[in-house]
Amino acid sequence: MNFLLTIFGQVNVEGEYALAQKGGSNLNINGELGMKLVLSGKVKINLNAVIFQVNGEVQAEGYVVTSIKPKGLIGNDNKGTYLQAKCDFMGINIVCVVTATIRNSSTQYKDTYNIYDRVDDFWKTDKNYIIS
């Protein structure tokens, strides 16, 4: 049996600058932060009888994955410079994969179970002006 905990993340930054007469300036920050917990195992079968021989392998893996996607915006409009943020929760999913191999024949079963649904705008703020 194997256990593996993976924490992953990514950050994207995008900026835009325009003269005040033509529009505002924006700095967008977004990304993803999550974790994945994997449980896996493998069983090999070797059976040698007098009249037949069976060699096979069964591999099973299950994992739980969840993440959040935070987004922030520092923007500028005719009222001033503001900060706006939100966060999406991507839900909790369990994925099960079982692969069986006997001789040269292989079969795979894979299914995904949704434990908790995705929630957009899990946390959100309105425009908060930091410079008016």
Side-chain angles (χ1 to χ4, degrees):
M1 297 293 280
N2 296 314
F3 292 94
L4 177 64
L5 175 63
T6 305
I7 297 174
F8 58 90
Q10 156 185 332
V11 176
N12 302 316
V13 179
E14 179 182 83
E16 174 185 11
Y17 178 77
L19 296 174
Q21 298 92 323
K22 294 187 178 186
S25 300
N26 295 319
L27 180 63
N28 293 307
I29 302 169
N30 62 51
E32 183 173 13
L33 177 65
M35 78 174 187
K36 180 178 179 181
L37 177 63
V38 179
L39 171 63
S40 63
K42 183 190 300 188
V43 175
K44 289 188 177 185
I45 302 166
N46 291 318
L47 179 61
N48 293 317
V50 175
I51 43 178
F52 66 91
Q53 177 181 0
V54 176
N55 293 323
E57 182 177 282
V58 176
Q59 295 181 21
E61 177 180 87
Y63 58 89
V64 179
V65 65
T66 186
S67 66
I68 58 171
K69 289 189 174 182
K71 298 176 186 174
L73 170 66
I74 299 173
N76 189 10
D77 61 15
N78 57 1
K79 292 183 182 179
T81 302
Y82 62 89
L83 176 64
Q84 189 174 15
K86 76 174 207 163
C87 186
D88 297 335
F89 176 66
M90 302 311 290
I92 300 174
N93 294 305
I94 295 177
V95 179
C96 298
V97 181
V98 177
T99 305
T101 304
I102 298 178
R103 295 186 186 151
N104 294 329
S105 177
S106 182
T107 301
Q108 185 179 67
Y109 166 81
K110 181 176 182 179
D111 207 354
T112 301
Y113 303 97
N114 187 3
I115 302 300
Y116 197 85
D117 289 333
R118 174 184 172 143
V119 180
D120 289 332
D121 296 341
F122 175 69
W123 176 75
K124 184 178 181 181
T125 65
D126 293 327
K127 287 183 181 180
N128 294 316
Y129 286 90
I130 50 179
I131 300 174
S132 295

